[in-house]
Amino acid sequence: MNIFVCIKQVPATNKVQVDEKTGVLKRSGVMSKMNPYDLFALETALRLKAEHGGKVTVGTMGPPQAQAIIREAYMMGADEGYVFSDRRLGGADVLATSYTLSQAIQSVGDFDLILCGKQTTDGDTAQVGPAIAEHMGIPHAAWVTKLTLSGDGVDAEQQLQDVIETVHMPFPCLVTVEQDIFMPRLPSLKIAREIGNKEIHIQGLDSFLDTDESHYGLTGSPTQVERIFPPDNDTEHEMWEGPDSAERLHQQLKKWKFV
Amino acid sequence: MYSEKARKNADACRFCWMCRHLCPVQLVTGKETNTPRAKGLQVSMMERGMKMDAASARTMYECMLCGACTNDCATGFDPLIFIRVGRTEAMLEDLAPDEVKQVLDRIERTGNIYGAREVRVKLDGIPEMGDNLLWLGECARYAVPETADALISLLNKAQVPFAALKDEPASGSSLGDLMGFVEDVRAQAQRAGEAIRGSGAKRVIVLDSYDAALMRHEYKDWGVDLPEVVTATSFVAELVRQGKLVPRQEAGVVTYHDGSRLARDLDEHEPARELLRAMGYELHEMWQNRRLAKCCGSSVAGQFMPEIRQKVAENRWADVRRTDARLLVAACPQSTEALQSTAPEGYKYQDLFVLLNKRV
């Protein structure tokens, strides 16, 4: 089976600056790492490959420095890697990012299964995976904690808020995985020695089916980050004690229209 | 390549350079590059663009990973974190010293650092399945079998049923020291875990403290579930407490070397001392003992830098000479391997279990 795993390079530190003009994180020169949730997605792909055979391709949308995570994925066992890098893709919001990735994946080839981590640690929206599926017109399941191959597709167990839902999806389909679905393996030196300087494919917008620049990057983003800031630390508080605290809390939440 | 944790540790160094008084390698080579401080500086510079070369890669390997620096650093700096990552980096860049690569080749061919094919421990008649699994480690199996033979004899004398694996896989300790904690090391740990589970053991009695430290600290994080792991020293000390082993008492003065992994990683100091007192010895401590113990050299280091390991062991004997003891005892096979071949004239070395076995 043919599996594509979306991975992303995220800041490895919380000391990140934001470009005041565009509202976009300044990633260049910042210590980076693979998005931790994507490690779970990659591990899932590698285990499926080990059990059922096939090929694992990884891809990331980012600046050229993102090649580092492709190399890390190679050392874990991925077969092929792509960096979709183009200045015209920069500054994308969820819609433009997911469209870019859907175009990128289709430009690489046909895949049975697309795997994503449930969210990234910088954006935290958890929207890109499902949005990719919608752009591609394929079914998806998010927050998956268990995934098994079943006939012509997969059975996926989703950890929803109050329930666990099991769904069957035929190929091709997309799954975003929860943390701890599997314990991610470490990079392997043995694999690193075997692959040497394996090629990382770098592709830009011109390799996509849709080359209309207005669909990508800042131009293609209907939303724009205006400001990113930590919430004010308000230490003002009241302490309530006694058996009527729960009712008192309920009334206060109603007053604030939270319930 | 360096994780945020490794970078933070490298940048945490305050350059007080007190670690030079503790590093067993620096104390015998006199080279500033052998201090943890210098290694930290090197990592910081590599994170800021300096490329690793053969010399800086070698620096990463001239270290016993004994943790003396970590134990004493006022800043809470832990060089072992980035030294291991540095070794991974050296491997990736193909800059690891040739002597290190030769040891790796030996491990690949034979599964152990010695390149040995025959186990030297007497394992005939010992079952491979049982509640108590004796885990010997490669040093005892191939280099100093008398330590394992003595422990086996003690367990028989105490009538403790136990099992031992004829094809005991490596724990991953030596591999981890050579290449850092990468997937290949975890895969080795998983093989060891499978072998342990296959024996049906409810308790693993570990002779080599390097194996015990790895099993206690890393295996769980790597998803390798083990039953109870106990050191051989603590297990045998309990047998003596229970009266299952009654050593013959003979007066004498002895000094005890705390193996670095046993004393620092496992924080175990007293069981070996109890055993010495149970044999009637008067224990005269070296100045650097327990968590401050000076490393005498690891087995894996002895394979790729034998001259430095010998000097480090001789330097530990210098500490013995500052006491009035003429007999040095240690409890880890790797200490036995390093110390017994470097005993100076007029001094004697005995492995703790070999000594105890003679008295029971």
Side-chain angles (χ1 to χ4, degrees):
Chain A
M1 60 181 301
N2 229 353
I3 306 174
F4 190 97
V5 185
C6 297
I7 60 177
K8 186 185 177 189
Q9 193 177 47
V10 296
T13 169
N14 54 13
K15 294 183 180 61
V16 188
Q17 292 177 319
V18 176
D19 186 313
E20 283 175 11
K21 281 187 198 155
T22 60
V24 171
L25 286 176
K26 289 181 184 174
R27 296 180 189 273
S28 183
V30 171
M31 287 187 280
S32 304
K33 62 181 180 184
M34 193 187 304
N35 177 38
Y37 292 101
D38 297 341
L39 283 169
F40 297 111
L42 181 53
E43 178 62 28
T44 304
L46 293 169
R47 289 200 188 208
L48 286 171
K49 173 186 149 183
E51 203 176 324
H52 303 283
K55 184 178 168 186
V56 173
T57 303
V58 293
T60 185
M61 180 180 145
Q65 71 187 53
Q67 290 180 72
I69 59 167
I70 302 293
R71 197 150 302 285
E72 192 182 332
Y74 280 168
M75 285 169 61
M76 288 171 69
D79 299 297
E80 203 163 4
Y82 289 79
V83 176
F84 307 111
S85 184
D86 194 311
R87 287 206 174 277
R88 292 169 288 179
L89 303 177
D93 68 357
V94 166
L95 187 73
T97 298
S98 55
Y99 185 68
T100 303
L101 285 168
S102 69
Q103 286 290 305
I105 292 167
Q106 288 171 98
S107 75
V108 171
D110 294 324
F111 293 93
D112 303 299
L113 179 63
I114 299 165
L115 287 169
C116 307
K118 75 165 182 180
Q119 66 194 62
T120 60
T121 53
D122 55 0
D124 272 321
T125 64
Q127 295 169 8
V128 168
I132 293 171
E134 289 302 305
H135 286 304
M136 293 179 71
I138 61 175
H140 78 270
W143 303 315
V144 169
T145 52
K146 196 172 167 187
L147 188 68
T148 46
L149 257 61
S150 168
D152 64 344
V154 293
D155 288 340
E157 216 172 84
Q158 295 175 271
Q159 181 78 53
L160 304 178
Q161 203 159 17
D162 297 320
V163 297
I164 295 172
E165 188 170 288
T166 305
V167 298
H168 175 81
M169 296 187 293
F171 292 138
C173 60
L174 183 146
V175 168
T176 80
V177 300
E178 255 289 7
Q179 66 186 38
D180 299 332
I181 179 170
F182 290 116
M183 177 178 277
R185 67 196 62 190
L186 300 160
S188 164
L189 266 177
K190 190 173 172 210
I191 295 177
R193 282 152 114 186
E194 282 166 8
I195 62 172
N197 266 330
K198 186 169 179 168
E199 187 190 0
I200 297 172
H201 307 286
I202 315 248
Q203 287 187 358
L205 192 155
D206 294 328
S207 64
F208 300 167
L209 281 169
D210 177 6
T211 54
D212 184 345
E213 288 180 28
S214 67
H215 296 163
Y216 301 95
L218 264 179
T219 323
S221 300
T223 62
Q224 198 172 340
V225 172
E226 214 174 74
R227 194 162 72 104
I228 297 177
F229 59 94
D232 289 333
N233 193 5
D234 183 356
T235 57
E236 200 180 309
H237 66 278
E238 283 182 52
M239 286 293 290
W240 295 343
E241 290 176 41
D244 65 340
S245 302
E247 179 54 32
R248 204 172 157 193
L249 176 62
H250 180 227
Q251 292 305 322
Q252 187 62 57
L253 289 171
K254 272 177 73 175
K255 195 175 161 191
W256 285 333
K257 295 186 172 43
F258 283 122
V259 296
Chain B
M1 180 72 219
Y2 291 91
S3 65
E4 194 176 355
K5 197 174 179 184
R7 288 183 206 116
K8 277 186 174 167
N9 266 281
D11 288 344
C13 177
R14 291 294 166 261
F15 289 75
C16 70
W17 213 21
M18 290 296 107
C19 50
R20 78 187 190 278
H21 298 296
L22 295 165
C23 175
V25 176
Q26 197 282 141
L27 284 170
V28 300
T29 65
K31 283 159 63 178
E32 190 175 330
T33 48
N34 287 148
T35 60
R37 181 195 87 151
K39 292 182 176 63
L41 179 61
Q42 188 172 278
V43 168
S44 292
M45 289 173 70
M46 284 194 281
E47 277 302 295
R48 286 158 180 82
M50 183 181 94
K51 284 276 176 210
M52 182 179 260
D53 59 14
S56 47
R58 182 170 286 278
T59 299
M60 289 297 171
Y61 279 95
E62 286 176 349
C63 168
M64 294 293 171
L65 294 173
C66 73
C69 46
T70 309
N71 184 62
D72 203 59
C73 177
T75 319
F77 176 48
D78 187 355
L80 302 195
I81 291 176
F82 60 74
I83 290 172
R84 284 189 203 278
V85 176
R87 292 183 181 188
T88 305
E89 179 81 10
M91 288 278 170
L92 278 172
E93 299 294 329
D94 201 22
L95 289 169
D98 286 339
E99 309 85 79
V100 171
K101 290 180 194 171
Q102 281 161 20
V103 181
L104 277 174
D105 285 340
R106 267 181 247 146
I107 293 174
E108 209 156 319
R109 278 185 287 111
T110 63
N112 63 81
I113 59 175
Y114 303 99
R117 301 225 180 248
E118 299 283 333
V119 178
R120 295 170 59 199
V121 179
K122 301 182 188 84
L123 293 173
D124 294 334
I126 298 176
E128 293 199 282
M129 293 193 66
D131 285 353
N132 292 313
L133 178 70
L134 188 55
W135 192 270
L136 301 173
E138 59 188 335
C139 182
R141 281 164 63 84
Y142 302 107
V144 287
E146 64 273 19
T147 61
D149 289 334
L151 178 59
I152 288 169
S153 174
L154 285 166
L155 294 179
N156 283 328
K157 287 175 181 174
Q159 297 184 319
V160 172
F162 65 93
L165 300 173
K166 288 185 177 52
D167 290 322
E168 181 190 283
S171 68
S173 166
S174 295
L175 204 57
D177 282 1
L178 288 169
M179 56 167 63
F181 290 152
V182 290
E183 182 63 23
D184 318 76
V185 179
R186 188 167 80 159
Q188 184 59 45
Q190 283 169 336
R191 283 191 283 276
E194 274 161 30
I196 291 170
R197 280 192 296 279
S199 74
K202 295 192 176 114
R203 180 192 287 130
V204 189
I205 304 164
V206 185
L207 174 57
D208 192 318
S209 55
Y210 285 62
D211 294 335
L214 194 76
M215 287 177 180
R216 282 251 187 98
H217 294 312
E218 306 298 338
Y219 270 41
K220 194 163 186 276
D221 287 345
W222 292 342
V224 183
D225 288 321
L226 293 179
E228 185 193 4
V229 171
V230 299
T231 59
T233 34
S234 62
F235 189 77
V236 171
E238 182 60 29
L239 293 176
V240 170
R241 268 182 237 125
Q242 290 173 359
K244 290 184 179 174
L245 288 172
V246 183
R248 192 178 67 253
Q249 297 226 335
E250 220 171 274
V253 171
V254 71
T255 192
Y256 173 70
H257 165 73
D258 292 277
S260 54
R261 304 276 163 117
L262 195 60
R264 284 191 275 272
D265 287 38
L266 296 167
D267 218 10
E268 185 189 293
H269 315 119
E270 297 315 311
R273 287 173 168 83
E274 271 180 48
L275 290 170
L276 288 169
R277 283 189 290 265
M279 288 187 266
Y281 282 110
E282 193 178 313
L283 178 55
H284 289 195
E285 299 277 7
M286 285 183 271
W287 179 61
Q288 276 175 269
N289 62 71
R290 293 179 174 80
R291 289 193 68 88
L292 278 178
K294 195 189 291 173
C295 177
C296 66
S298 68
S299 292
V300 71
Q303 291 299 306
F304 68 79
M305 48 179 189
E307 295 88 12
I308 290 181
R309 203 270 298 262
Q310 181 174 332
K311 286 181 183 171
V312 165
E314 286 167 354
N315 202 27
R316 192 53 170 157
W317 276 108
D319 292 338
V320 174
R321 285 206 289 267
R322 293 187 193 101
T323 72
D324 56 359
R326 288 288 182 270
L327 175 62
L328 171 64
V329 176
C332 176
Q334 300 204 27
S335 302
T336 297
E337 192 192 19
L339 292 166
Q340 73 181 358
S341 59
T342 48
E345 184 97 23
Y347 288 79
K348 204 174 164 203
Y349 174 85
Q350 277 275 261
D351 172 80
L352 178 65
F353 299 116
V354 170
L355 188 61
L356 183 62
N357 192 41
K358 289 179 187 169
R359 297 288 191 88
V360 173

